[in-house]
Amino acid sequence: DQQVKQNSPSLSVQEGRISILNCDYTNSMFDYFLWYKKYPAEGPTFLISISSIKDKNEDGRFTVFLNKSAKHLSLHIVPSQPGDSAVYFCAASAGYGGSQGNLIFGKGTKLSVKP
Amino acid sequence: DTEVTQTPKHLVMGMTNKKSLKCEQHMGHRAMYWYKQKAKKPPELMFVYSYEKLSINESVPSRFSPECPNSSLLNLHLHALQPEDSALYLCASSQGQFKTEAFFGQGTRLTVV
């Protein structure tokens, strides 16, 4: 049973527009969420994170929104750039009392930003 | 220095070989991880070391043997692997085991023949 779900395998966006990547989770013990970007044949690169005590975290062009009641988070990239084209993984972890902090990854969404 | 360095980048080994994957970080992180990633799948956790002690073993077969010689180094010893073990092996580290970002190395592409 998948605990972290990214239901869109791919997303195509025009350069300069907003990219919205979505992620749903089922485990209510998750209290820390992260987004990673991955290029082929490389390890994931950390982008941005959010704790469950917040509903929004912003870092430059990247903003993550968390809706705990819906068990949903999203990553907004504004404006999108061709260099953002990569696979984006949503990951979640549970802290004390949960799964000891290991990251559970979604299957990823491949973002293509067209010039 | 925000790098996690993995060696080798590529490894081809036979099913009777013994090899080791190495991982190094100098960020003072006290948690280190091994993940396995198959093509078009998300990374899956194998082992977690926290303060140089094995904290989590996700029911990984004994042909994979982790070792943490010190707080900067993490090894994964491989013996008698199967072709289905071919994958990208990712090392990661984080400041602590809870609620902290994990930084990943570039991975070792392992092929078992």
Side-chain angles (χ1 to χ4, degrees), chain A residues 32 36 38 46 49 100 102 106, chain B residues 37 42 45 97 99 101-102 105:
Chain A
Y32 197 64
Y36 285 84
K38 188 177 186 300
F46 169 73
S49 62
Q100 299 185 54
N102 55 293
Chain B
Q37 185 176 21
L45 183 69
Q97 196 176 338
K99 294 188 179 142
E101 298 79 25

Side-chain angles (χ1 to χ4, degrees), chain A residues 75-108:
Chain A
L75 175 68
H76 292 210
I77 306 173
V78 182
S80 302
Q81 299 173 353
D84 296 329
S85 298
V87 177
Y88 288 78
F89 287 100
C90 171
S93 76
Y96 301 104
S99 56
Q100 299 185 54
N102 55 293
L103 293 176
I104 307 295
F105 284 84
K107 288 189 173 182

Side-chain angles (χ1 to χ4, degrees), chain A:
Chain A
D1 181 32
Q2 257 190 291
Q3 298 185 68
V4 178
K5 299 177 187 178
Q6 292 177 257
N7 291 320
S8 298
S10 63
L11 174 67
S12 184
V13 170
Q14 206 66 33
E15 181 179 7
R17 300 287 189 107
I18 184 171
S19 295
I20 300 177
L21 297 110
N22 292 305
C23 178
D24 297 293
Y25 62 96
T26 57
N27 188 341
S28 58
M29 297 297 290
F30 287 146
D31 58 2
Y32 197 64
F33 304 89
L34 308 93
W35 284 94
Y36 285 84
K37 173 180 177 179
K38 188 177 186 300
Y39 294 113
E42 291 187 11
T45 303
F46 169 73
L47 271 180
I48 192 167
S49 62
I50 187 166
S51 165
S52 60
I53 62 172
K54 294 186 173 182
D55 53 21
K56 177 183 174 181
N57 189 25
E58 195 171 348
D59 183 2
R61 297 186 297 115
F62 302 92
T63 304
V64 56
F65 295 92
L66 175 63
N67 182 335
K68 277 186 298 182
S69 60
K71 292 193 176 71
H72 176 84
L73 64 154
S74 60
L75 175 68
H76 292 210
I77 306 173
V78 182
S80 302
Q81 299 173 353
D84 296 329
S85 298
V87 177
Y88 288 78
F89 287 100
C90 171
S93 76
Y96 301 104
S99 56
Q100 299 185 54
N102 55 293
L103 293 176
I104 307 295
F105 284 84
K107 288 189 173 182
T109 297
K110 185 176 182 179
L111 174 65
S112 299
V113 180
K114 300 190 185 308

